[in-house]
Amino acid sequence: TERGDRQAELHKMAAAGGEAAAEEEKRLPEGDPESGGDSDDEGDSDSSGDGEDEEKENEAEIQRLEEQLSINAFDYNCHLDLIKLLRQEGELVKLRRARQKMSELFPLTEEIWLDWLKDEIKMASEISEREKVYELFERAVKDYICPEIWLEYAQYSIGGIGQEGGIEKVRSIFERALTAVGLHVTKGTALWEAYREFENAILETAQPAPGSIPSPEQQQVLCSQLEKIHTLFRRQLGIPLLDMEASYAEYEEWSEEPIPETTIKNYKKALQQLEKCKPYEEALLGAETPKLAEYQAYIDFEMKAGDPARIQLIYERALAENCLVPDLWARYNQYLDRQLKVKELVLSAHDRAVRNCPWTVGLWIRYLLAMERHKVEHSIISEMFEKALNAGFIQATDYVEIWQAYLDYLRRRVDFTQDSSKELEELRSAFARAVEYLKQEVEERFSESGDPSCTIMQNWARVEARLCNNMQKARELWDNIMTKGNAKYANMWLEYYNLERAHGDTQHCRKALHRAVQCTSDYPEHVCEVLLTLERIEGTLEDWDAAVQKTENRLARVNEQRAKAAEKEAALAKQEEERAEQRKQARAEKKASKKAKKTRTGDKRKADEDDEGEWGQEEELPSKRHRGQGDGVLPEEDMEVESGLFGRSEKPDGPAVPKEKASTSRKDIPKVFHDSSKDQVTVFVSNLSYTMAEPEAKLRELFGSCGEVVEIRAVFSNKGTFRGYCYVQFREEEAARQALALDRTAVEGRPMFVSPCVDKNKNPDFKVFRYSTTLEKHKLFISGLPFSCTKEELEEVCKAHGNVKDIRLVTNRAGKPKGLAYVEYENEAQASQAVLKMDGLTVKDHVIKVMISNPPLRKVPERAEAGRASLPLAPRQIYGARGKGRTQLSMMPRALQRQSNPVAKAENGMVQNSPAASSDPPAEPKKMSNADFAKMLLKK
């Protein structure tokens, strides 16, 4: 009786243990009666005004956040702010509802769950309320594998051991916790120790009263409890955990019997394994977030070891810190699908993946496949597909992929041996809905359907023809496909022809090929060949004659069009040659007349005359942009001028001299030719202000921090004015590399461009542009920004959606903003979230557009080989330094203006030996004779 009373007392203490702290915490917000209960009324009145104002502000903010969430329920940060305010105000009912809504949309982090659980524990006093807390813990441990939540769960459950089956329930929770995180190298020890402490407390209650002799039943209970503790020690010592030496020492001290050899052997083996894991744990400890590389190395290590439990745990640890990385989820789910194949585990991981990264279509597709693989009910799979459609994908093609995956699933459900079935009708209805959805919803959002070649309709037609024997429906679908702009492509006609060939009849095959010959514009020869092959095998003489006549007529028209195009191109090329020759003669006459005029001015202008002889090339086209400007190097003749005439000249002391005399004095300085062997220690600087005074001194001061400057060669015009670019030569190559970091530095209000000194004549593939021109999923392109928006203001807007690594505001050459910006995030997940939340946002009364950075390809004029051969005198620079003016004559041949990609069409079979093939060019102005053109050019 005495022992039973003591055991009941211990059970009551355990049951009340968890509640005591909760009750204490519950009382704290109300204030300490000893410290604040006796305060006078005057102190309360002083603070009441401020408290009321703050309460009103919080209520207004809560209302604003609730309205914002009613508009956009997926605003993660808005959820966090609302929960924080409600918790601060003590609005427990609203707080519980806000947390519930957020948990339905997003997996909650460890911190959010722990705060929620602690708040609920404070309010749980009745048994029914404790059951709700248990349900909340069950939801919490499913979001992420967190040792702290499992430990809190186990400790809270100890408070219920006084209830029926309480002890077994606690043990069950501890065992589940050990299965989930007991292998955690750094945090698993805490769970093992808590479990042992619980069992030791049970052992204490089983001890007989002092001086009494235990009964056989009591002795059996004691031995059973001791064995439980021995087993826990032995299990723990066989797992590589930090501080396992201390656990071994504790076992030696606790156990009255010697430790078994098997346990010692397992302990030593675990120690060896711990030594192998330590480098990876230390790497994680010292790495900065997100630690993806370190986690991937750890995962590779565990994959080689091959322990499924440890592989699962390290994946879960990585995902707890990188829950917004789709690739990591994809690799984890692939491992579970192929190796573990446990239904509950697999489906739970897939569900968490799509809740964390709903914008990634690949995760949704894998989820649908996993649900089908594990025989989930059709209604649940359909419901999950509907969720996927509302996930907010960032590309139109993503919707095509998710629809195709769902249609594949529906097709696999159909028993095609039956003429008609519910599943077949559902499949056909889904195909029709998919086509309509892409046409309406997707095209309205992205301005494209994402399925230009109508792959979904093609698959529908294949199902009807091959599986349903319904060629009539297949032909209707293909007719619809061809009306959507696909009739000009030979491959589309051949796809339809092959379907007719396999499941239709010869008559429809022949009809399809005749239409193909008439409509195809990319590969007409190939379609004609297929038609002739069909008639050669199956056609009659009349069919053969009709096919030959049709193909010959079609090819004749094609060849005629090509010949006309070639003649026009040749005529234009010849005309351009004549015009180039006239321009050359006109320049020579102008140069001769100018030289004769300067000769008459006498000795006073002799110096200028000589100067003109050297600078005549530049005077011909004063707006001509030098090849080197902005590209990193000048042509050789410009190198000679800038380095010899002006690059090393020094400013004379004394009063300023007129420009004419200044240019004359530079003529006497000996030329110093550019030494290309020093390009490695030289940088090219451009986009400087033309009005910069003493550019050599200014730039020497600016670049002096990079290393010793040997020489600065500023480039001047023939009139002595600074041309805005120069060369900076260093002593060491490392200094030149450091100087490149000064690119885009503002100098006198303009961004200074600094690039390597590379001769592009010798290195035509060299690119100075330092930014990527390809798709970057972690970077955003923002347009529509107000010109007054600063980098700091934009960063304040963007950092709410992820960690911003860099922001670049796009400016023109004068340093003025263009309303564009590039924002780089840590990973593509954060960037995708930012697109969803920022696109259409208003910044200073400007509605901005946000998209993933994917710059269009730069348009580089291409010339066919024949075109190059026929245009030897074509100018190498088409536009001036400021581009093509409105009244400036274009010196580009019309053939090149009209034909942007002749080589590609030649590869497609349109052209054999001509430089281009296209439809007739647009109407041209009235042609002029050579004499008319010369008069116009020399009019002034």
Side-chain angles (χ1 to χ4, degrees):
T1 304
E2 181 181 356
R3 175 184 170 278
D5 294 339
R6 184 182 178 188
Q7 185 171 2
E9 182 180 358
L10 286 172
H11 278 232
K12 291 180 181 178
M13 291 175 60
E19 298 174 2
E23 289 296 326
E24 183 66 24
E25 292 180 4
K26 191 174 180 180
R27 291 194 299 270
L28 286 179
E30 301 175 2
D32 187 351
E34 295 182 2
S35 60
D38 298 331
S39 58
D40 54 13
D41 296 339
E42 183 179 355
D44 292 340
S45 62
D46 291 340
S47 59
S48 62
D50 295 338
E52 290 178 0
D53 293 341
E54 183 180 356
E55 184 177 353
K56 290 181 179 179
E57 291 178 1
N58 289 343
E59 289 178 357
E61 181 65 13
I62 289 173
Q63 185 176 0
R64 186 191 69 80
L65 292 173
E66 289 176 343
E67 291 176 356
Q68 185 172 344
L69 286 175
S70 66
I71 299 173
N72 180 15
F74 289 91
D75 192 332
Y76 188 87
N77 292 319
C78 190
H79 281 285
L80 292 180
D81 294 339
L82 179 61
I83 290 173
K84 182 179 179 181
L85 270 178
L86 291 174
R87 193 165 191 247
Q88 179 180 337
E89 290 297 307
E91 297 282 350
L92 299 180
V93 177
K94 289 185 177 180
L95 176 61
R96 180 182 294 169
R97 186 164 56 245
R99 284 167 167 164
Q100 179 67 27
K101 288 182 178 179
M102 185 177 183
S103 66
E104 292 172 357
L105 297 174
F106 305 100
L108 304 185
T109 63
E110 179 182 336
E111 294 77 11
I112 298 176
W113 272 120
L114 288 175
D115 288 341
W116 189 358
L117 291 166
K118 289 176 181 178
D119 289 342
E120 295 292 342
I121 289 172
K122 293 176 185 178
M123 296 182 290
S125 56
E126 302 295 332
I127 295 177
S128 59
E129 293 175 343
R130 290 184 62 87
E131 289 300 322
K132 292 181 179 179
V133 176
Y134 283 129
E135 293 175 3
L136 201 60
F137 268 114
E138 289 295 331
R139 291 175 54 191
V141 296
K142 290 178 181 179
D143 273 358
Y144 300 107
I145 291 184
C146 299
E148 288 80 3
I149 294 179
W150 275 110
L151 185 59
E152 189 75 21
Y153 189 10
Q155 290 175 342
Y156 178 74
S157 67
I158 294 175
I161 63 174
Q163 303 172 14
E164 183 179 355
I167 294 178
E168 293 305 320
K169 185 173 184 178
V170 174
R171 284 176 176 157
S172 173
I173 293 174
F174 266 118
E175 288 295 336
R176 289 173 57 200
L178 292 181
T179 302
V181 293
L183 299 179
H184 198 297
V185 176
T186 58
K187 297 181 179 180
T189 304
L191 268 171
W192 287 100
E193 291 179 350
Y195 196 1
R196 287 204 317 273
E197 289 176 2
F198 168 73
E199 294 294 353
N200 275 318
I202 300 298
L203 178 64
E204 291 296 324
T205 63
Q207 294 290 345
S212 63
I213 299 175
S215 64
E217 292 79 7
Q218 291 176 339
Q219 190 66 34
Q220 185 177 0
V221 170
L222 282 174
C223 292
S224 175
Q225 189 63 29
L226 284 171
E227 184 60 28
K228 284 184 174 65
I229 300 175
H230 276 289
T231 302
L232 282 176
F233 267 118
R234 293 166 187 170
R235 288 168 61 190
Q236 180 183 355
L237 293 176
I239 299 172
L241 301 171
L242 289 183
D243 298 329
M244 55 186 308
E245 296 88 347
S247 300
Y248 183 81
E250 182 182 351
Y251 186 30
E252 283 184 319
E253 182 181 353
W254 180 85
S255 177
E256 297 177 355
E257 303 174 359
I259 300 177
E261 289 296 328
T262 305
T263 303
I264 297 175
K265 183 178 179 181
N266 292 337
Y267 167 69
K268 291 181 179 179
K269 184 178 179 180
L271 273 178
Q272 294 175 356
Q273 191 173 359
L274 177 63
E275 292 301 318
K276 296 179 181 178
C277 295
K278 274 186 177 180
Y280 299 98
E281 294 290 346
E282 292 171 356
L284 288 174
L285 188 62
E288 297 181 358
T289 305
K291 308 179 183 178
L292 279 172
E294 291 76 15
Y295 271 119
Q296 188 57 52
Y298 207 163
I299 290 171
D300 294 340
F301 165 74
E302 294 292 359
M303 290 288 282
K304 291 180 180 178
D307 186 343
R310 298 191 64 83
I311 294 172
Q312 180 192 355
L313 179 63
I314 190 59
Y315 264 120
E316 291 287 354
R317 288 177 61 184
L319 288 167
E321 296 189 43
N322 300 278
C323 59
L324 299 180
V325 180
D327 290 343
L328 189 58
W329 281 108
R331 291 195 295 271
Y332 181 40
N333 290 336
Q334 184 182 72
Y335 171 76
L336 295 178
D337 287 333
R338 296 180 178 179
Q339 301 298 327
L340 296 187
K341 302 180 181 180
V342 180
K343 179 178 178 179
E344 292 75 12
L345 183 61
V346 169
L347 295 183
S348 173
H350 280 288
D351 183 68
R352 289 185 291 140
V354 297
R355 289 177 67 201
N356 278 283
C357 307
W359 62 87
T360 307
V361 67
L363 296 178
W364 287 100
I365 293 174
R366 290 186 178 91
Y367 194 7
L368 294 177
L369 290 172
M371 295 175 78
E372 181 185 2
R373 198 176 292 121
H374 291 282
K375 312 297 182 183
V376 177
E377 293 182 6
H378 172 62
S379 60
I380 298 177
I381 297 179
S382 298
E383 182 181 352
M384 192 57 60
F385 167 71
E386 296 297 333
K387 288 184 179 180
L389 287 182
N390 297 321
F393 301 132
I394 60 177
Q395 293 180 350
T397 54
D398 292 344
Y399 289 93
V400 179
E401 292 180 26
I402 193 65
W403 266 112
Q404 192 59 65
Y406 184 60
L407 292 169
D408 292 344
Y409 157 71
L410 294 179
R411 194 266 307 162
R412 288 190 286 266
R413 295 183 68 243
V414 179
D415 182 7
F416 289 99
T417 58
Q418 302 178 8
D419 294 337
S420 179
S421 64
K422 179 181 177 182
E423 290 79 9
L424 179 58
E425 294 304 319
E426 184 179 3
L427 174 62
R428 285 171 171 162
S429 175
F431 267 118
R433 183 189 168 201
V435 173
E436 188 67 20
Y437 186 91
L438 294 178
K439 180 181 178 181
Q440 299 292 336
E441 302 290 337
V442 178
E443 193 165 349
E444 180 180 350
R445 178 180 172 188
F446 296 97
S447 299
E448 60 168 325
S449 67
D451 191 15
S453 58
C454 302
T455 55
I456 288 182
M457 293 183 69
Q458 288 189 45
N459 290 331
W460 188 2
R462 294 188 188 102
V463 169
E464 294 289 354
R466 297 178 183 176
L467 302 178
C468 301
N469 297 319
N470 188 354
M471 273 304 299
Q472 183 61 34
K473 180 64 176 179
R475 292 180 185 117
E476 293 176 3
L477 291 170
W478 267 105
D479 186 66
N480 195 1
I481 292 172
M482 291 305 181
T483 60
K484 295 184 180 296
N486 293 303
K488 59 184 177 181
Y489 300 116
N491 66 315
M492 300 296 289
W493 284 107
L494 294 179
E495 184 69 29
Y496 172 46
Y497 165 75
N498 290 330
L499 191 68
E500 282 285 2
R501 192 77 171 147
H503 307 285
D505 52 59
T506 305
Q507 180 181 356
H508 283 91
C509 289
R510 180 176 293 111
K511 184 178 179 181
L513 289 178
H514 276 272
R515 289 178 61 193
V517 169
Q518 190 69 28
C519 301
T520 300
S521 61
D522 55 352
Y523 296 100
E525 292 90 348
H526 187 44
V527 174
C528 292
E529 183 181 351
V530 174
L531 175 58
L532 293 176
T533 301
L534 173 68
E535 301 300 358
R536 179 175 285 113
I537 296 174
E538 299 187 16
T540 64
L541 178 60
E542 291 78 7
D543 295 331
W544 172 262
D545 290 340
V548 170
Q549 182 179 358
K550 193 175 189 68
T551 54
E552 286 180 350
N553 292 339
R554 174 59 175 162
L555 293 179
R557 288 197 302 271
V558 170
N559 292 330
E560 183 180 356
Q561 292 175 358
R562 293 172 180 172
K564 288 182 178 179
E567 290 176 1
K568 291 179 180 179
E569 296 297 333
L572 290 172
K574 184 177 181 181
Q575 191 177 34
E576 290 300 328
E577 288 184 17
E578 295 174 353
R579 291 177 180 176
E581 185 65 26
Q582 292 173 5
R583 289 193 295 271
K584 184 177 180 181
Q585 295 176 1
R587 286 197 298 269
E589 294 174 1
K590 183 178 179 181
K591 181 178 178 181
S593 62
K594 188 179 294 185
K595 186 173 182 180
K597 180 180 178 181
K598 290 185 178 181
T599 304
R600 291 193 296 271
T601 60
D603 296 335
K604 181 179 179 180
R605 301 293 294 173
K606 189 174 186 307
D608 290 340
E609 177 188 341
D610 295 337
D611 197 26
E612 286 298 326
E614 182 171 357
W615 288 90
Q617 288 290 334
E618 183 171 330
E619 288 237 346
E620 292 168 12
L621 292 173
S623 63
K624 177 181 177 182
R625 178 184 178 187
H626 284 274
R627 178 182 293 271
Q629 187 169 354
D631 291 338
V633 72
L634 290 173
E636 292 182 2
E637 60 270 18
D638 292 335
M639 290 181 181
E640 173 186 335
V641 171
E642 60 87 13
S643 60
L645 294 178
F646 309 121
R648 298 188 179 181
S649 60
E650 299 179 357
K651 297 286 183 180
D653 297 332
V657 296
K659 291 183 180 180
E660 292 81 357
K661 294 186 178 180
S663 62
T664 303
S665 63
R666 290 191 177 93
K667 181 177 180 298
D668 298 332
I669 300 177
K671 297 181 180 179
V672 180
F673 291 90
H674 176 74
D675 187 357
S676 59
S677 64
K678 296 181 180 179
D679 285 349
Q680 297 297 327
V681 295
T682 306
V683 295
F684 178 71
V685 183
S686 61
N687 201 42
L688 299 171
S689 175
Y690 290 175
T691 61
M692 179 182 290
E694 298 185 359
E696 294 92 339
K698 179 77 174 179
L699 296 178
R700 188 176 294 275
E701 178 183 355
L702 185 63
F703 286 96
S705 60
C706 302
E708 182 182 352
V709 179
V710 176
E711 182 183 20
I712 295 180
R713 301 193 299 276
V715 182
F716 295 87
S717 68
N718 60 325
K719 297 182 179 180
T721 58
F722 180 48
R723 297 190 61 188
Y725 57 93
C726 65
Y727 294 85
V728 180
Q729 180 180 335
F730 294 90
R731 180 74 63 187
E732 301 292 339
E733 185 176 344
E734 179 62 28
R737 283 195 291 267
Q738 293 183 12
L740 296 176
L742 296 178
D743 185 35
R744 310 283 168 166
T745 301
V747 178
E748 296 188 0
R750 295 171 62 90
M752 174 182 67
F753 300 160
V754 183
S755 57
C757 185
V758 177
D759 188 349
K760 296 194 71 175
N761 291 326
K762 300 178 181 178
N763 300 275
D765 297 331
F766 178 78
K767 296 182 179 179
V768 179
F769 192 67
R770 64 173 183 170
Y771 300 108
S772 175
T773 57
T774 59
L775 175 65
E776 295 180 283
K777 295 185 178 180
H778 67 291
K779 187 179 293 186
L780 304 183
F781 173 70
I782 303 178
S783 60
L785 289 168
F787 291 163
S788 60
C789 182
T790 64
K791 183 177 180 180
E792 291 74 18
E793 292 172 341
L794 183 59
E795 183 177 9
E796 190 67 25
V797 175
C798 297
K799 71 180 183 181
H801 311 294
N803 296 326
V804 178
K805 294 180 64 177
D806 184 41
I807 292 180
R808 176 166 63 92
L809 296 177
V810 181
T811 61
N812 57 21
R813 297 180 67 89
K816 304 298 182 182
K818 299 175 68 175
L820 310 174
Y822 289 91
V823 180
E824 181 179 358
Y825 283 92
E826 281 191 348
N827 52 60
E828 64 178 84
Q830 296 178 1
S832 300
Q833 281 290 93
V835 169
L836 294 176
K837 296 176 182 178
M838 291 174 58
D839 188 30
L841 189 68
T842 301
V843 177
K844 293 184 178 181
D845 298 329
H846 285 66
V847 178
I848 64 173
K849 292 185 178 180
V850 184
M851 62 191 72
I852 299 295
S853 176
N854 188 15
L857 295 176
R858 293 190 169 188
K859 295 183 179 179
V860 180
E862 298 181 9
R863 304 179 186 177
E865 294 299 328
R868 292 193 185 98
S870 62
L871 295 174
L873 301 178
R876 300 174 64 183
Q877 186 78 19
I878 302 302
Y879 304 143
R882 297 183 181 273
K884 180 178 178 181
R886 294 184 179 178
T887 59
Q888 180 179 344
L889 290 175
S890 173
M891 298 304 175
M892 177 186 287
R894 291 189 181 88
L896 296 181
Q897 290 180 1
R898 185 176 71 255
Q899 187 67 24
S900 62
N901 194 5
V903 177
K905 289 191 176 181
E907 293 175 354
N908 289 340
M910 289 289 291
V911 177
Q912 302 298 330
N913 297 317
S914 60
S918 63
S919 59
D920 292 344
E924 300 178 5
K926 182 180 179 180
K927 295 184 179 180
M928 296 184 296
S929 66
N930 293 342
D932 294 336
F933 186 85
K935 289 179 182 179
M936 181 191 70
L937 188 63
L938 301 176
K939 187 175 181 180
K940 297 184 180 180

